[in-house]
Amino acid sequence: MPHDDFPAGTVWLVGAGPGDPDLLTHKAGRLIAAADIVFYDALVGPGVLDLIPDEADQISVGKRSGRHSRDQATIDRLIVAAARESRRVVRLKGGDPAIFGRTAEEVAACAAAGVPVRICPGVTAASAAVAAAGVSLTLRGAARQLTFVTAHARTGEALDLDWRALAAGEATLAVYMGRAAATLVMQRLLSAGRCADTPVLVVVNASLPGERIIRGRLSSLAFLVEAISADDPALLVIGEAVRPAVAPSMSPSVPVSMERA
Ligand code: SAH
C-alpha cells in the first residue's frame, strides 16, 4: 500500500534502535528507504546505515563524548535547510529518539521554521540491554518503578542528580551515558542509602556483534566498567529486576562474559 506520510519537504526523526538492523521497526525501514537525505548519529548501527538508498545523501552528525562533530544548533539548521530544499529528510537517531536524543530541540527548530516534522519511535538501549541478559526492567512486587537517567554532565558542570530519590524505593535505574561517571554513581547511590548488594547489569554494545554482558553488585560498579572503552556504548542497569533468575551457569541461553560480585 502506498504511504503519503513522507511528502517532500518533511523531516522524520527516526529511531534506529540499539544497533542490530533486525531491531529496526518496519516503519523506520520504510522511511529510510524513501529518504533523499539522511543525517545520522554516531550510535546508529552499521547494518542500519546499509539500508540507506545509494542515491540518498548520508551525512554523519555524530556526537561521541568529548568529540562533537556538529553542535546541536548546526544540526537544527542543516535539517531545516534540507527540508526547505524540498527534500525528504530522515534524521536517524540511536535507540528511541525521545530518550536522551535532543528530539525536543529538533522538533522546535522545525516548528519555528514551518517545516513539518514527525517522530518514528525505536527500541531504546535499556530494552535491548535487559533482553540481551535475559532479564526484565521491572519485576512484579520488587521493581515497580523504572527511571531513565543520564549520568552525562555538561562539560565543566557537576553531575547534579537527586541521589536520594534515585536511591530510594524499588526503582530500576537505567543509566545512559554512565560509563565515565560510574564510580560517582556508585558512591552517591551508596551514600544515599541504596543497598550495596543491589544487582547491577552493564551491557556494552547491546545487540551489536561486540555485545558484552557484565554482572555484579552496586558495590563493585566502579570495577565492572573499568575495561570498557570510551568508544563503546554501555548501559548500566541497577536494581532487583536485573538479578539473574537462575544461576548463570545453569542457563545456557543467557550469555555471560564476566561475573564479579
Ligand atoms: N536515544 C538512545 C540513547 C542516546 S544516549 C536510546 O534510546 O537508546 C547514548 C547512550 O545510550 C550511550 O552512552 C549508552 O549509554 C546508551 N546506548 C545506546 N546504544 C547502546 C547499545 N547498543 N548498547 C549499550 N548502550 C547503548
Side-chain angles (χ1 to χ4, degrees):
M1 206 174 76
H3 292 269
D4 57 3
D5 59 0
F6 203 178
T10 307
V11 172
W12 271 97
L13 307 182
V14 175
D20 177 356
D22 276 359
L23 290 175
L24 204 63
T25 62
H26 283 293
K27 183 169 184 148
R30 174 171 64 76
L31 294 167
I32 292 168
D36 303 316
I37 184 164
V38 177
F39 296 96
Y40 63 93
D41 283 341
L43 286 180
V44 173
V48 174
L49 296 180
D50 287 345
L51 303 174
I52 300 173
D54 289 343
E55 321 79 74
D57 289 324
Q58 293 188 31
I59 297 160
S60 162
V61 289
K63 289 182 254 175
R64 295 298 287 131
S65 47
R67 283 179 275 133
H68 287 218
S69 56
R70 297 277 213 288
D71 65 27
Q72 189 58 44
T74 306
I75 296 172
D76 296 349
R77 271 200 305 279
L78 287 171
I79 59 175
V80 164
R84 283 188 163 152
E85 288 167 8
S86 291
R87 307 186 80 182
R88 289 182 178 79
V89 184
V90 160
R91 171 74 175 100
L92 256 186
K93 293 170 177 289
D96 183 80
I99 297 181
F100 308 126
R102 309 293 294 262
T103 279
E105 286 96 322
E106 293 175 23
V107 168
C110 290
V115 166
V117 57
R118 299 181 65 183
I119 301 171
C120 175
V123 174
T124 192
S127 299
V130 290
V135 293
S136 172
L137 282 168
T138 59
L139 192 62
R140 200 173 133 86
R144 288 184 274 213
Q145 193 184 327
L146 169 61
T147 302
F148 294 100
V149 60
T150 173
H152 180 71
R154 294 184 201 206
T155 317
E157 286 181 20
L159 189 55
D160 186 20
L161 293 170
D162 183 350
W163 297 104
R164 212 157 264 294
L166 292 175
E170 303 168 336
T172 302
L173 307 180
V175 186
Y176 288 70
M177 295 173 267
R179 186 200 54 84
T183 303
L184 190 71
V185 169
M186 177 187 84
Q187 291 167 345
R188 292 285 197 277
L189 287 177
L190 289 174
S191 44
R194 194 89 193 221
C195 174
D197 274 344
T198 307
V200 168
L201 172 71
V202 181
V203 182
V204 187
N205 284 313
S207 88
L208 288 160
E211 178 178 281
R212 268 199 308 143
I213 297 169
I214 302 164
R215 291 191 175 84
R217 313 244 163 256
L218 182 56
S219 53
S220 62
L221 178 56
F223 304 105
L224 297 177
V225 301
E226 246 174 15
I228 303 173
S229 146
D231 289 329
D232 291 329
L235 194 94
L236 324 179
V237 193
I238 302 165
E240 273 308 316
V242 303
R243 186 187 294 281
V246 286
S249 58
M250 291 164 61
S251 169
S253 62
V254 179
V256 181
S257 59
M258 188 172 143
E259 169 82 19
R260 268 172 104 156

